[in-house]
Amino acid sequence: MSSYEGPYLSPPVRGGQCKVPLGGRSLQTAGHAIGGFEGASAGTAAEETAGDMGREMDETLAEFIRRTILKIPMAEMMTILKTWGFLSENQLRSLNFKQRKESLVQDLLLLCEENRASINDVALLDIVYIQVHRHQKMWDVFHMSKGPDEDVDIFDVEEFKSLFKKILHRALKNVTVSFRDAKENAVWIRIAWGTQHKKPNQYQPTYVVYHSQTPFAFASSSRLKSAKPLLGQALTIASKYHQIVQMDLRSRHLDSLKAIVFKQFNQAFENHNSTTPLQEKSLGLDINMDSRIIHENTIEKERVRRVTQETFGICPQPQLEFAQYKLETKFKGDLYGGILAEREEPLRCLIKFSSPHLLEALKSLAPAGIADAPLSPLLTCIPNKAMNYFKIRDK
C-alpha cells in the first residue's frame, strides 16, 4: 500500500487546507472550495446545468442517449432496459428488437422524449450498463481509516449521497453526480467532470463503488488529474472517515478486487481426503517403468500437491491480470570488478508478470513441473498483502 509521511489533517469546515494522501502523495485542495457546504442543496448543480442550457440541451441529451444505447449489445438490450426501470412495460412491449439497432435507437429516443428524460436518467442507464460490463474498466482500490480515538459511525446511505454531492458541487461548478444502489450494501456513483467554464463531459465519467460499513472504495481510473483529490475529499467526508490512501492494487476484475480486500478467498489449507488413493490414480507413466521410479514420482507429486494446496488453498483464485515488481538493488560481488562493482547508484529494472488469470497460472506452475514448489513468497503473497504493485529495495 502506498505510504504517506506527515500528519493527516481533519477535513476542513471553512477555510484552511485539507491534505488527502493518495498514492503516497499529499494532494491539497483549497479549503474554500470544499468547506462551507452545509447550506448547499444536493442536486443543485445538476439542476442548474440542465436549466442553464435550456433548449440547447435537447440535441446534447439526444446524442448522450443515442451513444449510451448504442453501447449496449442487442442480446442484452431488453434486460438492461428493464433493469433501468425508466420505460413502462407497455413501452418496452412496443419496441421491435428484431429491427436494425439504429432504428431501435430512434424508437427509444422517442420514448425517452415522451417520458421527458433528463441527464440523470440517462446516467442511471449508463451505470446499469457499466455494472454488467464492469470488466471494461481498470479499477483502483482506496482504503480509508479513522483516527485512533474515533468511533465507527452509523451509516446512513441517503446522508452519504447528499453529502457526497454537496462536497463536489461546492468544489466544482460543473459536475453531475448520479447514484444507484446495488446488492451487498454497495452504492454505485457516476461522476461526470467539468471545469469552472466547461460543462461536464458525459463520455469520460468516473465510476465509484463504495460498500457501506467498510473502509474500501473502488474507482475507475480517470484521465483528469484533479479528479483524484476531489474524489478523495468527497469519500472521506461523506463516509465520515479521517484519511484515505490509494492501495497498490488494481485490476479490471472488480469482483476479484473485492474478494481480496474483503478476504473472501480461501488460502487456508484444508485437508480433503480423496476417495481414491493417490497410488491408484493415473500418473501418465510407462507401464514398464521401474517401480522405484514410480514410487519416487508418486511421493514427489504428492508433495507438490500438498505444498500447492497449502499455499493457494482449494478454492479458485481471485482473477488478476498482472503483477508488477520494481527492483532497485546494488551490484553485489567483485568477481569481475569494473564499472558495476564501483557503481553507487542502484540498478533499476521493472519485471511484470501478466496472464488472463495470473494467480491460477502461478498455482499451476509447480504441478506442471515448470517451477519448484513452493513458489517465491513474492508471487504467492499477492492476495494476502492485497497488492500487485511491489517495490523491492536493498535492506
Side-chain angles (χ1 to χ4, degrees):
M1 185 180 296
S2 302
S3 61
Y4 168 70
E5 296 180 359
Y8 289 94
L9 304 181
S10 298
V13 177
R14 291 186 183 273
Q17 290 184 333
C18 176
K19 293 186 178 180
V20 181
L22 294 166
R25 296 182 296 278
S26 173
L27 303 173
Q28 298 185 353
T29 304
H32 66 270
I34 299 294
F37 53 76
E38 297 89 341
S41 172
T44 301
E47 292 167 3
E48 288 177 354
T49 300
D52 289 345
M53 297 193 73
R55 293 182 180 178
E56 304 95 300
M57 191 63 180
D58 294 344
E59 291 184 7
T60 305
L61 180 57
E63 179 64 12
F64 183 25
I65 295 171
R66 191 183 75 83
R67 289 172 64 170
T68 302
I69 295 173
L70 283 174
K71 292 191 301 184
I72 306 172
M74 286 296 286
E76 302 170 0
M77 187 71 73
M78 176 59 90
T79 301
I80 288 179
L81 290 176
K82 280 185 175 180
T83 305
W84 182 28
F86 181 71
L87 302 176
S88 68
E89 287 291 336
N90 288 337
Q91 288 175 325
L92 287 173
R93 280 196 293 268
S94 71
L95 294 169
N96 178 12
F97 290 93
K98 295 182 180 180
Q99 62 183 320
R100 293 179 58 189
K101 198 170 189 179
E102 281 287 354
S103 300
L104 177 61
V105 169
Q106 293 302 317
D107 292 342
L108 284 167
L109 277 170
L110 291 174
L111 292 177
C112 289
E113 184 179 5
E114 179 183 328
N115 289 6
R116 297 185 178 182
S118 66
I119 282 186
N120 189 63
D121 293 321
V122 189
L124 290 177
L125 174 60
D126 187 47
I127 292 177
V128 173
Y129 170 79
I130 290 296
Q131 286 177 318
V132 175
H133 295 275
R134 48 192 176 273
H135 60 280
Q136 294 180 356
K137 300 292 179 182
M138 182 65 74
W139 298 91
D140 296 312
V141 186
F142 295 87
H143 180 247
M144 297 176 287
S145 58
K146 292 182 177 289
D149 300 324
E150 292 182 290
D151 296 327
V152 177
D153 297 296
I154 298 175
F155 183 81
D156 184 314
V157 65
E158 296 305 322
E159 181 184 2
F160 169 83
K161 293 176 183 178
S162 175
L163 200 52
F164 189 95
K165 268 190 176 184
K166 290 176 184 178
I167 294 163
L168 289 185
H169 287 159
R170 279 291 186 178
L172 195 60
K173 179 183 178 182
N174 293 311
V175 61
T176 56
V177 185
S178 305
F179 301 93
R180 189 171 191 273
D181 296 337
K183 296 179 181 178
E184 299 177 346
N185 297 320
V187 180
W188 280 69
I189 311 169
R190 182 186 187 275
I191 309 163
W193 305 94
T195 66
Q196 300 299 347
H197 307 290
K198 292 184 180 180
K199 299 299 179 184
N201 184 345
Q202 299 296 338
Y203 304 109
Q204 292 183 346
T206 298
Y207 303 92
V208 181
V209 185
Y210 174 62
H211 284 256
S212 62
Q213 308 299 332
T214 78
F216 297 103
F218 309 85
S220 64
S221 299
S222 175
R223 298 178 183 178
L224 190 63
K225 293 182 179 180
S226 60
K228 191 178 288 185
L230 293 178
L231 178 59
Q233 286 277 7
L235 281 171
T236 48
I237 298 174
S239 57
K240 300 179 181 178
Y241 278 90
H242 180 71
Q243 59 199 36
I244 185 170
V245 293
Q246 182 177 337
M247 299 175 65
D248 292 321
L249 178 66
R250 62 193 323 228
S251 171
R252 292 188 181 277
H253 297 277
L254 177 61
D255 294 337
S256 292
L257 293 177
K258 292 179 183 179
I260 289 173
V261 298
F262 296 149
K263 302 297 181 183
Q264 293 172 341
F265 64 95
N266 175 22
Q267 281 203 317
F269 173 74
E270 295 183 24
N271 186 16
H272 288 251
N273 294 322
S274 174
T275 56
T276 306
L278 185 65
Q279 288 80 357
E280 297 179 12
K281 296 179 182 178
S282 174
L283 298 175
L285 302 174
D286 191 327
I287 193 170
N288 296 319
M289 186 176 290
D290 191 310
S291 61
R292 291 170 297 180
I293 298 176
I294 294 176
H295 179 67
E296 290 178 2
N297 281 334
T298 300
I299 293 175
E300 177 59 18
K301 282 180 176 288
E302 172 61 19
R303 185 192 73 83
V304 170
R305 183 200 66 80
R306 185 181 67 254
V307 170
T308 301
Q309 187 168 310
E310 288 174 350
T311 303
F312 292 96
I314 60 170
C315 296
Q317 299 298 297
Q319 191 166 355
L320 299 175
E321 309 95 310
F322 63 89
Q324 181 174 298
Y325 300 82
K326 284 186 177 180
L327 293 100
E328 294 184 6
T329 181
K330 290 187 177 181
F331 178 78
K332 294 181 175 64
D334 55 357
L335 181 61
Y336 299 104
I339 298 175
L340 290 179
E342 298 173 358
R343 179 186 172 98
E344 294 184 1
E345 282 292 312
L347 299 172
R348 295 180 175 87
C349 67
L350 176 67
I351 300 174
K352 187 173 183 178
F353 297 89
S354 59
S355 167
H357 202 325
L358 178 64
L359 295 179
E360 283 293 342
L362 294 175
K363 184 178 179 179
S364 68
L365 289 178
I370 300 173
D372 293 332
L375 297 178
S376 167
L378 284 173
L379 297 174
T380 60
C381 73
I382 294 170
N384 281 326
K385 287 187 176 292
M387 295 173 63
N388 62 347
Y389 284 83
F390 295 86
K391 292 181 180 178
I392 304 171
R393 297 186 177 94
D394 288 327
K395 293 182 178 179

